[in-house]
Amino acid sequence: MAFPEPYYVKTNGIDMAVYEEGPKDGVPVVLCHGFPELAYSWRHQLPALAKAGFRAIAPDQRGYGNTGGPKGQESVPLYDLKHLTDDLAGMLDALGLEKAIFAGHDWGGFVVWQMALRHPDRVAGVIGVNTPFMPRSPIDPIEGMRAVFGEDMYIVYFQKYGEADALLDKDVARSMRFWYRKTGMKLAEFDARPASEKNLAFLKGFAADESLWPGKVLLNEEELAYYTAAFRKSGFTGGINWYRNFSRNWKDSEGLVEKVNVPSLMISAADDIVLRPSMADGMEQFVPDLEKHVIPDCGHWTQAEQPEALNRLMVDWLKRRFA
């Protein structure tokens, strides 16, 4: 499918690649991707939002695609939530926009909820796709994940600088086929599996023969080629560096008032085994103006697995709240 060419804006020390569709005078909706995603991950949403009259703006974020980012182990702190949210505020400055609605999936979801806390004057509304608002943990989240899941859990494993990066960089096309899969597994089926199979040690599965990977490849050849070319250009280190800031973000957030004071929409996927719909329970305590939906028969990659359902929910809410 057609996808717009990027233009570039200077923000917070980087040149950010931005892709957009829709009228320049439309209400701006900024679409923030996760790992290992790109602005291209919103390829089904950009035209739907544009058709509805909104100005849909999707950046390749810090470390990804045509934006890229700082290199080397010493640059890891430059991928924390302060930098990621400052990047987006600077992007609005460069585009001459006072405010926008921010939508985020996966890691992009963490970023957009934090935008509402760290840059509340720039946020008109928030849409979380799979990723709910999560209040600050009472303990360092990496230590918590390590205690529950062990060293092989993918986020814990990502803390070792260079290891997962080299593994995924070795054969980028294979890596993309590994990540972008539709397993068809219901959450109840996953929960019924033995505990030894539920520690989210995804990269152990990566080492297995590809014929043994669960489910099937989600993307077509053209889509896989796009992702493969982008990650051959950028590598995986920038994206993984977001994970290497979990502890830093946790320390940095101490004392931050956890209240999202803008209209918000939470769209969960019924069968996302990592970002479960139940994780949105109780969000209203922190996000008072909240509407929630769950998309059935949908795993983690919501924008590609159920694009029409996601587009319908987003456009309906945006028209009701921001027309």
PDB file of all heavy atoms in Angstrom, residues 19-45:
ATOM      1  N   TYR A  19       6.017  11.413   8.919  1.00  0.00           N
ATOM      2  CA  TYR A  19       5.149  11.012   7.824  1.00  0.00           C
ATOM      3  C   TYR A  19       3.738  11.466   8.172  1.00  0.00           C
ATOM      4  O   TYR A  19       3.292  11.274   9.305  1.00  0.00           O
ATOM      5  CB  TYR A  19       5.152   9.488   7.657  1.00  0.00           C
ATOM      6  CG  TYR A  19       6.526   8.861   7.578  1.00  0.00           C
ATOM      7  CD1 TYR A  19       7.333   8.763   8.720  1.00  0.00           C
ATOM      8  CD2 TYR A  19       7.023   8.369   6.374  1.00  0.00           C
ATOM      9  CE1 TYR A  19       8.598   8.191   8.652  1.00  0.00           C
ATOM     10  CE2 TYR A  19       8.284   7.790   6.298  1.00  0.00           C
ATOM     11  CZ  TYR A  19       9.067   7.707   7.449  1.00  0.00           C
ATOM     12  OH  TYR A  19      10.317   7.132   7.383  1.00  0.00           O
ATOM     13  N   GLU A  20       3.035  12.057   7.220  1.00  0.00           N
ATOM     14  CA  GLU A  20       1.691  12.503   7.575  1.00  0.00           C
ATOM     15  C   GLU A  20       0.733  12.455   6.396  1.00  0.00           C
ATOM     16  O   GLU A  20       1.126  12.465   5.239  1.00  0.00           O
ATOM     17  CB  GLU A  20       1.716  13.892   8.212  1.00  0.00           C
ATOM     18  CG  GLU A  20       2.038  15.053   7.300  1.00  0.00           C
ATOM     19  CD  GLU A  20       1.693  16.383   8.002  1.00  0.00           C
ATOM     20  OE1 GLU A  20       2.538  16.879   8.779  1.00  0.00           O
ATOM     21  OE2 GLU A  20       0.597  16.930   7.735  1.00  0.00           O
ATOM     22  N   GLU A  21      -0.548  12.397   6.745  1.00  0.00           N
ATOM     23  CA  GLU A  21      -1.642  12.475   5.791  1.00  0.00           C
ATOM     24  C   GLU A  21      -2.758  13.289   6.422  1.00  0.00           C
ATOM     25  O   GLU A  21      -2.874  13.357   7.648  1.00  0.00           O
ATOM     26  CB  GLU A  21      -2.171  11.078   5.426  1.00  0.00           C
ATOM     27  CG  GLU A  21      -1.228  10.239   4.600  1.00  0.00           C
ATOM     28  CD  GLU A  21      -1.873   8.956   4.111  1.00  0.00           C
ATOM     29  OE1 GLU A  21      -3.051   8.996   3.678  1.00  0.00           O
ATOM     30  OE2 GLU A  21      -1.215   7.903   4.163  1.00  0.00           O
ATOM     31  N   GLY A  22      -3.586  13.902   5.589  1.00  0.00           N
ATOM     32  CA  GLY A  22      -4.725  14.655   6.086  1.00  0.00           C
ATOM     33  C   GLY A  22      -4.543  16.141   5.937  1.00  0.00           C
ATOM     34  O   GLY A  22      -3.443  16.639   5.666  1.00  0.00           O
ATOM     35  N   PRO A  23      -5.611  16.893   6.122  1.00  0.00           N
ATOM     36  CA  PRO A  23      -5.574  18.349   5.938  1.00  0.00           C
ATOM     37  C   PRO A  23      -4.704  19.038   6.985  1.00  0.00           C
ATOM     38  O   PRO A  23      -4.720  18.665   8.162  1.00  0.00           O
ATOM     39  CB  PRO A  23      -7.047  18.759   6.091  1.00  0.00           C
ATOM     40  CG  PRO A  23      -7.683  17.653   6.890  1.00  0.00           C
ATOM     41  CD  PRO A  23      -6.961  16.407   6.507  1.00  0.00           C
ATOM     42  N   LYS A  24      -3.948  20.035   6.547  1.00  0.00           N
ATOM     43  CA  LYS A  24      -3.059  20.766   7.458  1.00  0.00           C
ATOM     44  C   LYS A  24      -3.837  21.473   8.565  1.00  0.00           C
ATOM     45  O   LYS A  24      -3.300  21.717   9.644  1.00  0.00           O
ATOM     46  CB  LYS A  24      -2.237  21.791   6.678  1.00  0.00           C
ATOM     47  CG  LYS A  24      -1.229  21.202   5.727  1.00  0.00           C
ATOM     48  CD  LYS A  24      -0.083  20.521   6.446  1.00  0.00           C
ATOM     49  CE  LYS A  24       0.988  20.043   5.472  1.00  0.00           C
ATOM     50  NZ  LYS A  24       2.077  19.308   6.153  1.00  0.00           N
ATOM     51  N   ASP A  25      -5.111  21.819   8.290  1.00  0.00           N
ATOM     52  CA  ASP A  25      -5.906  22.500   9.317  1.00  0.00           C
ATOM     53  C   ASP A  25      -6.742  21.513  10.130  1.00  0.00           C
ATOM     54  O   ASP A  25      -7.577  21.909  10.933  1.00  0.00           O
ATOM     55  CB  ASP A  25      -6.801  23.570   8.678  1.00  0.00           C
ATOM     56  CG  ASP A  25      -7.794  22.988   7.667  1.00  0.00           C
ATOM     57  OD1 ASP A  25      -7.655  21.796   7.309  1.00  0.00           O
ATOM     58  OD2 ASP A  25      -8.699  23.727   7.236  1.00  0.00           O
ATOM     59  N   GLY A  26      -6.544  20.219   9.914  1.00  0.00           N
ATOM     60  CA  GLY A  26      -7.264  19.224  10.701  1.00  0.00           C
ATOM     61  C   GLY A  26      -6.710  19.128  12.110  1.00  0.00           C
ATOM     62  O   GLY A  26      -5.556  19.501  12.380  1.00  0.00           O
ATOM     63  N   VAL A  27      -7.511  18.633  13.036  1.00  0.00           N
ATOM     64  CA  VAL A  27      -7.039  18.414  14.410  1.00  0.00           C
ATOM     65  C   VAL A  27      -5.889  17.406  14.359  1.00  0.00           C
ATOM     66  O   VAL A  27      -6.044  16.309  13.813  1.00  0.00           O
ATOM     67  CB  VAL A  27      -8.178  17.883  15.304  1.00  0.00           C
ATOM     68  CG1 VAL A  27      -7.657  17.545  16.694  1.00  0.00           C
ATOM     69  CG2 VAL A  27      -9.301  18.903  15.390  1.00  0.00           C
ATOM     70  N   PRO A  28      -4.706  17.759  14.897  1.00  0.00           N
ATOM     71  CA  PRO A  28      -3.552  16.865  14.764  1.00  0.00           C
ATOM     72  C   PRO A  28      -3.626  15.667  15.712  1.00  0.00           C
ATOM     73  O   PRO A  28      -3.939  15.805  16.892  1.00  0.00           O
ATOM     74  CB  PRO A  28      -2.364  17.765  15.113  1.00  0.00           C
ATOM     75  CG  PRO A  28      -2.935  18.858  15.949  1.00  0.00           C
ATOM     76  CD  PRO A  28      -4.348  19.058  15.498  1.00  0.00           C
ATOM     77  N   VAL A  29      -3.331  14.494  15.153  1.00  0.00           N
ATOM     78  CA  VAL A  29      -3.245  13.251  15.918  1.00  0.00           C
ATOM     79  C   VAL A  29      -1.864  12.664  15.662  1.00  0.00           C
ATOM     80  O   VAL A  29      -1.529  12.313  14.527  1.00  0.00           O
ATOM     81  CB  VAL A  29      -4.338  12.248  15.493  1.00  0.00           C
ATOM     82  CG1 VAL A  29      -4.238  10.972  16.333  1.00  0.00           C
ATOM     83  CG2 VAL A  29      -5.722  12.866  15.621  1.00  0.00           C
ATOM     84  N   VAL A  30      -1.050  12.581  16.710  1.00  0.00           N
ATOM     85  CA  VAL A  30       0.317  12.069  16.598  1.00  0.00           C
ATOM     86  C   VAL A  30       0.315  10.589  16.977  1.00  0.00           C
ATOM     87  O   VAL A  30      -0.142  10.214  18.061  1.00  0.00           O
ATOM     88  CB  VAL A  30       1.281  12.855  17.505  1.00  0.00           C
ATOM     89  CG1 VAL A  30       2.686  12.248  17.444  1.00  0.00           C
ATOM     90  CG2 VAL A  30       1.312  14.327  17.097  1.00  0.00           C
ATOM     91  N   LEU A  31       0.843   9.744  16.085  1.00  0.00           N
ATOM     92  CA  LEU A  31       0.824   8.297  16.240  1.00  0.00           C
ATOM     93  C   LEU A  31       2.229   7.800  16.590  1.00  0.00           C
ATOM     94  O   LEU A  31       3.165   7.967  15.801  1.00  0.00           O
ATOM     95  CB  LEU A  31       0.329   7.648  14.949  1.00  0.00           C
ATOM     96  CG  LEU A  31      -1.048   8.132  14.460  1.00  0.00           C
ATOM     97  CD1 LEU A  31      -1.311   7.662  13.042  1.00  0.00           C
ATOM     98  CD2 LEU A  31      -2.148   7.657  15.394  1.00  0.00           C
ATOM     99  N   CYS A  32       2.369   7.197  17.760  1.00  0.00           N
ATOM    100  CA  CYS A  32       3.680   6.817  18.289  1.00  0.00           C
ATOM    101  C   CYS A  32       3.825   5.291  18.319  1.00  0.00           C
ATOM    102  O   CYS A  32       3.014   4.599  18.938  1.00  0.00           O
ATOM    103  CB  CYS A  32       3.858   7.391  19.688  1.00  0.00           C
ATOM    104  SG  CYS A  32       3.770   9.206  19.732  1.00  0.00           S
ATOM    105  N   HIS A  33       4.853   4.803  17.669  1.00  0.00           N
ATOM    106  CA  HIS A  33       5.055   3.359  17.530  1.00  0.00           C
ATOM    107  C   HIS A  33       5.829   2.773  18.713  1.00  0.00           C
ATOM    108  O   HIS A  33       6.363   3.493  19.553  1.00  0.00           O
ATOM    109  CB  HIS A  33       5.788   3.065  16.224  1.00  0.00           C
ATOM    110  CG  HIS A  33       7.191   3.618  16.177  1.00  0.00           C
ATOM    111  ND1 HIS A  33       8.241   3.028  16.829  1.00  0.00           N
ATOM    112  CD2 HIS A  33       7.699   4.724  15.557  1.00  0.00           C
ATOM    113  CE1 HIS A  33       9.353   3.719  16.608  1.00  0.00           C
ATOM    114  NE2 HIS A  33       9.047   4.767  15.853  1.00  0.00           N
ATOM    115  N   GLY A  34       5.902   1.440  18.722  1.00  0.00           N
ATOM    116  CA  GLY A  34       6.653   0.726  19.749  1.00  0.00           C
ATOM    117  C   GLY A  34       7.812  -0.045  19.148  1.00  0.00           C
ATOM    118  O   GLY A  34       8.397   0.355  18.148  1.00  0.00           O
ATOM    119  N   PHE A  35       8.125  -1.199  19.750  1.00  0.00           N
ATOM    120  CA  PHE A  35       9.261  -2.037  19.342  1.00  0.00           C
ATOM    121  C   PHE A  35       8.766  -3.360  18.774  1.00  0.00           C
ATOM    122  O   PHE A  35       7.877  -3.987  19.366  1.00  0.00           O
ATOM    123  CB  PHE A  35      10.160  -2.318  20.549  1.00  0.00           C
ATOM    124  CG  PHE A  35      11.291  -3.270  20.253  1.00  0.00           C
ATOM    125  CD1 PHE A  35      12.497  -2.790  19.772  1.00  0.00           C
ATOM    126  CD2 PHE A  35      11.145  -4.642  20.446  1.00  0.00           C
ATOM    127  CE1 PHE A  35      13.538  -3.675  19.480  1.00  0.00           C
ATOM    128  CE2 PHE A  35      12.175  -5.521  20.154  1.00  0.00           C
ATOM    129  CZ  PHE A  35      13.373  -5.035  19.677  1.00  0.00           C
ATOM    130  N   PRO A  36       9.365  -3.856  17.711  1.00  0.00           N
ATOM    131  CA  PRO A  36      10.283  -3.163  16.797  1.00  0.00           C
ATOM    132  C   PRO A  36       9.467  -2.609  15.640  1.00  0.00           C
ATOM    133  O   PRO A  36       9.293  -3.247  14.613  1.00  0.00           O
ATOM    134  CB  PRO A  36      11.223  -4.287  16.343  1.00  0.00           C
ATOM    135  CG  PRO A  36      10.341  -5.523  16.370  1.00  0.00           C
ATOM    136  CD  PRO A  36       9.266  -5.288  17.393  1.00  0.00           C
ATOM    137  N   GLU A  37       8.960  -1.434  15.838  1.00  0.00           N
ATOM    138  CA  GLU A  37       8.026  -0.821  14.901  1.00  0.00           C
ATOM    139  C   GLU A  37       8.626   0.432  14.271  1.00  0.00           C
ATOM    140  O   GLU A  37       9.791   0.778  14.486  1.00  0.00           O
ATOM    141  CB  GLU A  37       6.709  -0.498  15.605  1.00  0.00           C
ATOM    142  CG  GLU A  37       5.972  -1.736  16.119  1.00  0.00           C
ATOM    143  CD  GLU A  37       4.609  -1.399  16.700  1.00  0.00           C
ATOM    144  OE1 GLU A  37       4.549  -0.737  17.756  1.00  0.00           O
ATOM    145  OE2 GLU A  37       3.607  -1.800  16.082  1.00  0.00           O
ATOM    146  N   LEU A  38       7.790   1.114  13.514  1.00  0.00           N
ATOM    147  CA  LEU A  38       8.160   2.331  12.795  1.00  0.00           C
ATOM    148  C   LEU A  38       6.902   3.170  12.624  1.00  0.00           C
ATOM    149  O   LEU A  38       5.793   2.700  12.915  1.00  0.00           O
ATOM    150  CB  LEU A  38       8.703   1.990  11.398  1.00  0.00           C
ATOM    151  CG  LEU A  38       9.935   1.092  11.292  1.00  0.00           C
ATOM    152  CD1 LEU A  38      10.033   0.504   9.894  1.00  0.00           C
ATOM    153  CD2 LEU A  38      11.194   1.886  11.629  1.00  0.00           C
ATOM    154  N   ALA A  39       7.066   4.377  12.107  1.00  0.00           N
ATOM    155  CA  ALA A  39       5.887   5.135  11.685  1.00  0.00           C
ATOM    156  C   ALA A  39       5.036   4.293  10.742  1.00  0.00           C
ATOM    157  O   ALA A  39       3.803   4.349  10.763  1.00  0.00           O
ATOM    158  CB  ALA A  39       6.318   6.429  11.000  1.00  0.00           C
ATOM    159  N   TYR A  40       5.689   3.469   9.933  1.00  0.00           N
ATOM    160  CA  TYR A  40       5.015   2.592   8.973  1.00  0.00           C
ATOM    161  C   TYR A  40       4.023   1.636   9.652  1.00  0.00           C
ATOM    162  O   TYR A  40       3.093   1.139   8.998  1.00  0.00           O
ATOM    163  CB  TYR A  40       6.084   1.805   8.212  1.00  0.00           C
ATOM    164  CG  TYR A  40       5.589   0.887   7.121  1.00  0.00           C
ATOM    165  CD1 TYR A  40       5.094   1.389   5.921  1.00  0.00           C
ATOM    166  CD2 TYR A  40       5.647  -0.499   7.277  1.00  0.00           C
ATOM    167  CE1 TYR A  40       4.661   0.537   4.904  1.00  0.00           C
ATOM    168  CE2 TYR A  40       5.215  -1.360   6.272  1.00  0.00           C
ATOM    169  CZ  TYR A  40       4.730  -0.839   5.091  1.00  0.00           C
ATOM    170  OH  TYR A  40       4.300  -1.686   4.099  1.00  0.00           O
ATOM    171  N   SER A  41       4.200   1.382  10.921  1.00  0.00           N
ATOM    172  CA  SER A  41       3.281   0.499  11.638  1.00  0.00           C
ATOM    173  C   SER A  41       1.869   1.074  11.683  1.00  0.00           C
ATOM    174  O   SER A  41       0.908   0.338  11.930  1.00  0.00           O
ATOM    175  CB  SER A  41       3.788   0.258  13.060  1.00  0.00           C
ATOM    176  OG  SER A  41       5.072  -0.337  13.041  1.00  0.00           O
ATOM    177  N   TRP A  42       1.747   2.385  11.435  1.00  0.00           N
ATOM    178  CA  TRP A  42       0.439   3.050  11.407  1.00  0.00           C
ATOM    179  C   TRP A  42      -0.070   3.238   9.978  1.00  0.00           C
ATOM    180  O   TRP A  42      -0.940   4.077   9.729  1.00  0.00           O
ATOM    181  CB  TRP A  42       0.538   4.414  12.097  1.00  0.00           C
ATOM    182  CG  TRP A  42       0.937   4.346  13.536  1.00  0.00           C
ATOM    183  CD1 TRP A  42       2.185   4.566  14.058  1.00  0.00           C
ATOM    184  CD2 TRP A  42       0.087   4.053  14.653  1.00  0.00           C
ATOM    185  NE1 TRP A  42       2.156   4.423  15.428  1.00  0.00           N
ATOM    186  CE2 TRP A  42       0.887   4.104  15.819  1.00  0.00           C
ATOM    187  CE3 TRP A  42      -1.272   3.746  14.769  1.00  0.00           C
ATOM    188  CZ2 TRP A  42       0.367   3.874  17.093  1.00  0.00           C
ATOM    189  CZ3 TRP A  42      -1.792   3.506  16.035  1.00  0.00           C
ATOM    190  CH2 TRP A  42      -0.974   3.569  17.181  1.00  0.00           C
ATOM    191  N   ARG A  43       0.429   2.439   9.026  1.00  0.00           N
ATOM    192  CA  ARG A  43       0.088   2.624   7.611  1.00  0.00           C
ATOM    193  C   ARG A  43      -1.407   2.460   7.343  1.00  0.00           C
ATOM    194  O   ARG A  43      -1.936   3.052   6.398  1.00  0.00           O
ATOM    195  CB  ARG A  43       0.900   1.652   6.748  1.00  0.00           C
ATOM    196  CG  ARG A  43       0.630   0.189   7.040  1.00  0.00           C
ATOM    197  CD  ARG A  43       1.719  -0.715   6.455  1.00  0.00           C
ATOM    198  NE  ARG A  43       1.551  -2.117   6.864  1.00  0.00           N
ATOM    199  CZ  ARG A  43       1.926  -2.593   8.049  1.00  0.00           C
ATOM    200  NH1 ARG A  43       2.495  -1.796   8.944  1.00  0.00           N
ATOM    201  NH2 ARG A  43       1.752  -3.861   8.338  1.00  0.00           N
ATOM    202  N   HIS A  44      -2.101   1.651   8.154  1.00  0.00           N
ATOM    203  CA  HIS A  44      -3.545   1.481   7.969  1.00  0.00           C
ATOM    204  C   HIS A  44      -4.341   2.593   8.649  1.00  0.00           C
ATOM    205  O   HIS A  44      -5.497   2.831   8.296  1.00  0.00           O
ATOM    206  CB  HIS A  44      -4.000   0.134   8.531  1.00  0.00           C
ATOM    207  CG  HIS A  44      -3.344  -1.045   7.890  1.00  0.00           C
ATOM    208  ND1 HIS A  44      -3.598  -1.435   6.597  1.00  0.00           N
ATOM    209  CD2 HIS A  44      -2.424  -1.920   8.385  1.00  0.00           C
ATOM    210  CE1 HIS A  44      -2.875  -2.505   6.313  1.00  0.00           C
ATOM    211  NE2 HIS A  44      -2.158  -2.823   7.379  1.00  0.00           N
ATOM    212  N   GLN A  45      -3.738   3.247   9.647  1.00  0.00           N
ATOM    213  CA  GLN A  45      -4.450   4.272  10.405  1.00  0.00           C
ATOM    214  C   GLN A  45      -4.300   5.666   9.782  1.00  0.00           C
ATOM    215  O   GLN A  45      -5.236   6.476   9.847  1.00  0.00           O
ATOM    216  CB  GLN A  45      -3.947   4.291  11.861  1.00  0.00           C
ATOM    217  CG  GLN A  45      -4.426   3.122  12.699  1.00  0.00           C
ATOM    218  CD  GLN A  45      -3.872   1.771  12.273  1.00  0.00           C
ATOM    219  OE1 GLN A  45      -2.656   1.624  12.158  1.00  0.00           O
ATOM    220  NE2 GLN A  45      -4.746   0.811  12.034  1.00  0.00           N
TER     221      GLN A  45
END
